[in-house]
Amino acid sequence: MNQPDKEYLTVALPKGKLFGLSADLFAKIGYTAEGLSDQSRKLIITNEEKKIRFIVSKTADVPTYVEYGAADIGVIGKDVLLESQKDVYELLDLGFGKCHLMMAVPKDRKRARLADYANTRVATKFPHIAERFFSQYGMQMEYIKLNGSIELGPIVGLSESIVDIVETGTTLRENNLEEIAYIMDATARLIANRVSFKLKFDRISAMVQDLKTVMGQN
Ligand code: PRP
């Protein structure tokens, strides 16, 4: 990082479902910037007065920006964070973006026991988490990595099951899928680059404290 970067705190925010809630939360502690939006084509938005820079990136890329120090801190779902296997500090559970990871299958092709799916194909955005889950049961699976619309997998015969997140349950219902195994809960987390956390300790700690205050944690 060059010298001017040290003056700024760079925050990576994910596009999509977590963007609005993340931007609203930061705004409550005065971390705002004119034109900050996940629809904007401008990908770096700076608040010169407060020396804050926002990077708006694809959700799955937030842990990468933070691990490499291109962003000092970031907001990311626990599901994506675990799957990324990136080496970052997890500073705070932000509480929003609640969902859970689970395994689901087509209702009309449900098998009697979880073990009956051993050695079948699973479509998922989360192959690492899925593998960790199935290995607890001694199950070997074939993982098919998809980047979205995971529910299509079993419908079009690509896989027997899916491992994906559920928020409201609407997507499962609308596609005649049924949850058969719970894997883990997830919420949005505040993460930090390990070096930034040391170099900008005072600033980041003050920010975490302010976030806790507006979240009513103390
Ligand atoms: C996620 C997830 C499910 C859906 C679950 O997809 O992969 O498809 O949300 O939400 P629900 O339980 O409220 O229906 P997302 O909308 O992020 O898009 P994607 O399919 O492109 O990954």
Side-chain angles (χ1 to χ4, degrees):
M1 266 193 209
N2 55 30
Q3 200 57 37
D5 281 340
K6 288 195 180 151
E7 281 180 47
Y8 290 87
L9 192 73
T10 304
V11 181
L13 297 182
K15 286 184 180 181
K17 287 180 184 169
L18 295 181
F19 180 85
L21 292 165
S22 306
D24 288 351
L25 181 63
F26 278 109
K28 283 188 190 155
I29 62 163
Y31 277 52
T32 49
E34 211 183 312
L36 180 61
S37 151
D38 65 343
Q39 302 303 318
S40 164
R41 296 307 299 168
K42 196 169 172 199
L43 300 174
I44 301 184
I45 298 124
T46 306
N47 179 333
E48 286 297 345
E49 191 199 326
K50 301 210 163 161
K51 299 288 179 224
I52 300 161
R53 265 196 320 223
F54 288 97
I55 293 178
V56 183
S57 83
K58 280 234 175 202
T59 303
D61 293 335
V62 168
T64 306
Y65 284 107
V66 174
E67 184 185 45
Y68 284 91
D72 299 307
I73 59 167
V75 173
I76 192 65
K78 179 70 178 180
D79 48 339
V80 178
L81 179 60
L82 257 187
E83 183 62 28
S84 76
Q85 303 185 312
K86 298 295 184 196
D87 184 23
V88 296
Y89 279 132
E90 194 180 309
L91 299 179
L92 197 58
D93 183 342
L94 299 174
F96 57 79
K98 269 198 185 114
C99 60
H100 72 277
L101 268 140
M102 51 90 233
M103 177 190 185
V105 300
K107 277 186 180 160
D108 56 356
R109 275 175 271 151
K110 203 171 143 188
R111 302 181 187 183
R113 295 166 310 136
L114 182 64
D116 295 335
Y117 293 93
N119 302 307
T120 62
R121 288 174 297 176
V122 187
T124 186
K125 245 192 275 192
F126 304 96
H128 292 120
I129 297 175
E131 186 172 20
R132 207 178 61 173
F133 170 73
F134 288 112
S135 65
Q136 286 173 47
Y137 299 96
M139 292 168 70
Q140 295 252 349
M141 308 295 279
E142 185 182 338
Y143 300 98
I144 301 179
K145 174 88 196 295
L146 293 179
N147 295 303
S149 304
I150 314 301
E151 293 80 2
L152 255 183
I155 296 170
V156 297
L158 186 63
S159 67
E160 278 73 20
S161 64
I162 62 168
V163 162
D164 198 17
I165 58 164
V166 173
E167 212 175 315
T168 61
T170 307
T171 315
L172 287 183
R173 266 194 309 280
E174 292 193 351
N175 292 287
N176 296 314
L177 295 167
E178 184 178 326
E179 175 173 339
I180 59 160
Y182 163 88
I183 299 178
M184 58 173 271
D185 284 330
T187 46
R189 305 297 160 102
L190 184 72
I191 57 172
N193 172 267
R194 290 187 177 276
V195 176
S196 301
F197 188 64
K198 292 192 181 82
L199 292 180
K200 302 179 183 178
F201 181 79
D202 291 347
R203 192 159 179 202
I204 293 176
S205 318
M207 184 198 68
V208 168
Q209 204 45 53
D210 288 349
L211 286 172
K212 283 184 176 171
T213 303
V214 298
M215 286 162 58
Q217 285 189 8
N218 59 5

